[in-house]
Amino acid sequence: MTHALPGYVCAEDGARADARTAPWCCPLCGGPWDLDFAPDPAAVLDPAAGPHSLWRYGSALPLTGAFAVTLAEGNTPLVPLSERVHAKLDFLMPTLSFKDRGAVMLAEVARRLGPERVVADSSGNAGTAFAAYCARAGLSCEVFVPEGTSAKKTEQMRAHGATVTVVPGGREAAAVAARGAADLPGVFYASHVFNPYFLHGTKTYVYEIWEALGGHLPEVIVVPVGNGTLLLGAALAVEELARRGVRPPTLIAVQSAAVAPLASAFHAGAEDAGAVPQLPTLAEGIAIPAPPRARQILAAVRKAGGTFLTVTDEQVRAAQLDLARRGLFVEPTAAACWAAVGPTAPDDPLRGRTAVVPLCGAGAKTGLAAPAA
């Protein structure tokens, strides 16, 4: 039986398209798609009765029917870092990063569409996730990565059977190359930025927090932001759970001080973010100089009564070491939120509130940040 796929809608101009035939971006403005979907707040949400994966939240997800693609992703634990702050260990996902949440959704969509091949672009973690889930779904996959991408991550992609195409230049150059391939016939562009199904995968991060805390959410959820896929997924879940009577948390977004277009725009009171230079930073996973969903990200943080914080490489390095000495070895990007709100932060942005911070990627992927020369 073929199940319907919710269609796409553009937040900027209202354009709509069928997910089975749509181009990868809005044909009118070239921007990313949103999904024409909202779960029924009256539908039964009983995750304990579901499978041991993020598909346990099926009544809140946009895909119906049998889910063939899974690696038992999700259900990552919450562990205390302090009396009022917990860490969610998404680096324990099957490919060692939170990107599995969105990748499994896109792989399932692609499986249902049956393309000749899947293409993606990534600075590392999204690429490893897509490679693994395409392998699981029996799909041919090509990942475009910028030069300088961690050798451990490209090795992981190739091990899953993906073709890895290294593109000269930075993250945006890899995206441009992938989008060129995405325009070819028979290609599904598994974009964690432009395809909204990815966001409905990452929103399960917050549903799991809600489940683990007995039907409540903390006062603050802290999220690292580059392209904003985790933050926008979190915002979706917060809004959906609010319709079920759950008190919404404040969202605090964290960027690298070296590449912080969203933080700069937020504090300037702007509705959109201008591009900034691509400077080197330890937090490479959030070093996005021109996020396509900038307007949505800024609006989501403001709606949640939140703010943006920035962290230096020195703070990230200290936070990575602090976490490792607590038994949690994560990659530098994953330490950014703890750098922003943990004991080494210059002030107390949490102001005594309860909070959850994500630890999104395993230290085994990159190793320990080297000290400054």
Side-chain angles (χ1 to χ4, degrees):
M1 179 179 178
T2 300
H3 294 273
L5 290 173
Y8 298 146
V9 60
C10 178
E12 292 298 315
D13 51 44
R16 294 180 177 272
D18 188 323
R20 297 180 182 274
T21 57
W24 58 266
C25 67
C26 174
L28 298 182
C29 70
W33 291 113
D34 285 346
L35 205 59
D36 189 11
F37 169 80
D40 180 359
V44 175
L45 185 59
D46 182 16
H52 187 75
S53 71
L54 58 75
W55 297 118
R56 66 201 280 115
Y57 305 104
S59 63
L61 297 175
L63 296 176
T64 59
F67 307 117
V69 183
T70 185
L71 289 167
E73 57 291 319
N75 289 314
T76 57
L78 279 176
V79 300
L81 290 177
S82 67
E83 183 181 354
R84 299 180 68 80
V85 180
H86 280 71
K88 187 157 175 60
L89 309 190
D90 263 24
F91 70 89
L92 299 180
M93 296 285 258
T95 76
L96 309 182
S97 92
F98 87 96
K99 294 290 177 64
D100 289 6
R101 296 185 182 277
V104 68
M105 292 288 290
L106 288 192
E108 178 63 27
V109 171
R111 184 192 69 82
R112 298 184 186 196
L113 294 178
E116 294 176 14
R117 65 187 178 117
V118 175
V119 301
D121 56 272
S122 171
S123 60
N125 285 336
T128 60
F130 285 131
Y133 282 94
C134 282
R136 191 69 172 174
L139 297 166
S140 174
C141 178
E142 180 178 8
V143 184
F144 293 82
V145 302
E147 57 186 355
T149 297
S150 165
K152 292 181 180 180
K153 293 180 181 179
T154 55
E155 180 182 10
Q156 186 180 355
M157 295 174 207
R158 293 188 177 99
H160 291 308
T163 298
V164 178
T165 301
V166 180
V167 180
R171 181 67 182 81
E172 184 59 24
V176 170
R179 292 166 194 167
D183 290 327
L184 299 175
V187 173
F188 177 79
Y189 182 28
S191 172
H192 56 296
V193 181
F194 280 80
N195 193 303
Y197 278 95
F198 194 93
L199 306 181
H200 285 267
T202 61
K203 78 181 182 184
T204 59
Y205 173 85
V206 169
Y207 275 92
E208 288 178 17
I209 296 172
W210 164 80
E211 182 183 357
L213 296 181
H216 301 281
L217 290 173
E219 293 170 284
V220 180
I221 293 178
V222 189
V223 187
V225 178
N227 276 310
T229 54
L230 183 55
L231 183 137
L232 290 173
L236 276 172
V238 165
E239 186 173 309
E240 291 168 7
L241 287 169
R243 290 197 286 268
R244 292 176 175 268
V246 179
R247 183 178 178 179
T250 295
L251 296 178
I252 292 181
V254 179
Q255 292 212 285
S256 166
V259 185
L262 295 161
S264 297
F266 181 88
H267 292 297
E271 294 183 358
D272 203 351
V276 300
Q278 179 78 72
L279 299 178
T281 174
L282 292 177
E284 60 183 8
I286 53 173
I288 307 298
R293 293 187 183 269
R295 292 177 66 90
Q296 290 178 288
I297 296 166
L298 292 166
V301 173
R302 289 189 172 110
K303 183 177 180 180
T307 190
F308 275 82
L309 304 175
T310 60
V311 291
T312 65
D313 277 5
E314 290 72 20
Q315 289 173 300
V316 167
R317 184 181 295 107
Q320 187 190 25
L321 284 169
D322 181 74
L323 288 166
R325 288 163 184 163
R326 296 167 185 260
L328 301 165
F329 186 40
V330 299
E331 62 182 345
T333 298
C337 288
W338 188 233
V341 303
T344 61
D347 52 19
D348 179 20
L350 295 178
R351 299 194 298 277
R353 293 173 290 180
T354 59
V356 170
V357 301
L359 300 182
C360 296
K365 288 197 168 202
T366 56
L368 193 64

